[in-house]
Amino acid sequence: IVLLTDADCVPASEHWIQSMQDKYLDDTEIVLGYGPYHKKNGLLNKLVRWETYHSALQYLSYAKAGIAYMGVGRNLSYKRSVFFRLKGFTAHNQIPGGDDDLFINAAATRKNTQINTDKESFTLSKPVSTWAQWRTQKQRHYSTSKYYRPFHKFLLGLYAFSQVAFYPLLVLACIFYNWQIALAIFSFRYIVQMVIFSRTMKKLGEEDLFQWFFFFDIWMFIYYIIFAPALVRKPKPTWK
């Protein structure tokens, strides 16, 4: 069994290895963990942690539903046999990053992947300290998503489109249709999101972000517009 983290990560507890190993059942070949960032003061830290949580909410939920599409190298485990079966990273050696994403995207199946949301299994990382560093980091991450399986790209694209389209359509519906119906739809969506985010933030140890929920929801509209070009841009041949 291979267990991975990054050089700048630290386990959240002394039980990290045991917790990740315990998730291996008879058919399990891959275990996806969560790698949050240290909590610090400032808006940038909150946005970095929100995006990390939001990404984890997606890839862990998809894996739980049987359609795993990625993992994070900060906290990831798989059997050596599956690594050799796929001939390692040879399918995407030409890409400077994204080996964790693309390997799991190719190797994961409905039955061979488990998730671990036990807080003792987390690994903590030092977050970037400047906006420029964060933008470069996210552009690099998103530039590899174009290599996902078509079905995964469709589902993720549909979700991103819903985030971008919701508020403009809400405004248009209030102006040109019926503001009462539009606000009722907004309220229903808002309540559902509050319930989901409240429960999952508590599970992943990000409870302090919940009070910023409405701001983050609007921020995702801007976020997807900012990073949309990275989806079609060719990855740079170097990390920096």
Side-chain angles (χ1 to χ4, degrees), residues 2-216:
V2 179
L3 179 59
L4 304 173
T5 190
D6 285 350
D8 61 348
C9 295
V10 293
S13 80
E14 62 184 7
H15 304 294
W16 169 55
I17 296 175
Q18 184 66 55
S19 180
M20 292 294 285
Q21 182 175 307
D22 285 346
K23 287 296 179 178
Y24 279 91
L25 306 177
D26 291 340
D27 297 330
T28 305
E29 292 184 312
I30 299 169
V31 176
L32 306 179
Y34 180 48
Y37 286 96
H38 289 289
K39 299 178 182 180
K40 297 181 180 295
N41 295 326
L43 177 61
L44 177 60
N45 179 259
K46 290 180 174 60
L47 289 178
V48 170
R49 290 173 47 228
W50 160 261
E51 194 280 330
T52 302
Y53 153 77
H54 189 260
S55 177
L57 180 63
Q58 289 180 289
Y59 76 77
L60 294 174
S61 297
Y62 275 55
K64 194 173 180 64
I67 44 178
Y69 69 91
M70 66 162 281
V72 293
R74 300 189 305 275
N75 198 2
L76 177 64
S77 181
Y78 47 77
K79 286 188 175 180
R80 185 176 61 174
S81 57
V82 74
F83 180 82
F84 286 117
R85 188 168 71 239
L86 270 70
K87 298 181 180 179
F89 304 133
T90 55
H92 45 268
N93 274 344
Q94 76 281 10
I95 305 170
D99 52 295
D100 44 5
D101 283 41
L102 299 178
F103 180 77
I104 299 304
N105 193 262
T109 67
R110 181 176 293 274
K111 295 182 178 180
N112 76 345
T113 305
Q114 296 287 334
I115 67 171
N116 194 346
T117 56
D118 182 353
K119 291 180 180 179
E120 291 192 333
S121 73
F122 296 171
T123 59
L124 298 167
S125 303
K126 181 181 178 181
V128 294
S129 56
T130 69
W131 292 90
Q133 289 175 334
W134 182 59
R135 182 169 183 175
T136 300
Q137 182 186 69
K138 297 315 302 176
Q139 286 176 334
R140 187 178 71 244
H141 290 169
Y142 276 109
S143 66
T144 63
S145 62
K146 71 183 72 170
Y147 301 101
Y148 287 173
R149 296 178 186 179
F151 182 58
H152 297 154
K153 289 192 288 186
F154 169 75
L155 292 177
L156 295 171
L158 187 64
Y159 180 81
F161 174 77
S162 72
Q163 291 281 352
V164 173
F166 181 79
Y167 282 104
L169 290 177
L170 175 67
V171 173
L172 290 175
C174 287
I175 296 174
F176 297 107
Y177 182 59
N178 185 309
W179 67 269
Q180 293 173 317
I181 295 177
L183 291 182
I185 294 173
F186 169 77
S187 300
F188 175 76
R189 173 182 179 269
Y190 191 75
I191 292 172
V192 170
Q193 285 184 306
M194 284 184 65
V195 172
I196 293 173
F197 288 149
S198 175
R199 294 184 64 182
T200 53
M201 283 179 178
K202 184 176 182 180
K203 196 173 190 67
L204 296 178
E206 307 286 10
E207 301 96 322
D208 61 303
L209 296 177
F210 183 72
Q211 60 184 318
W212 293 75
F213 158 66
F214 184 66
F215 166 77
F216 289 139

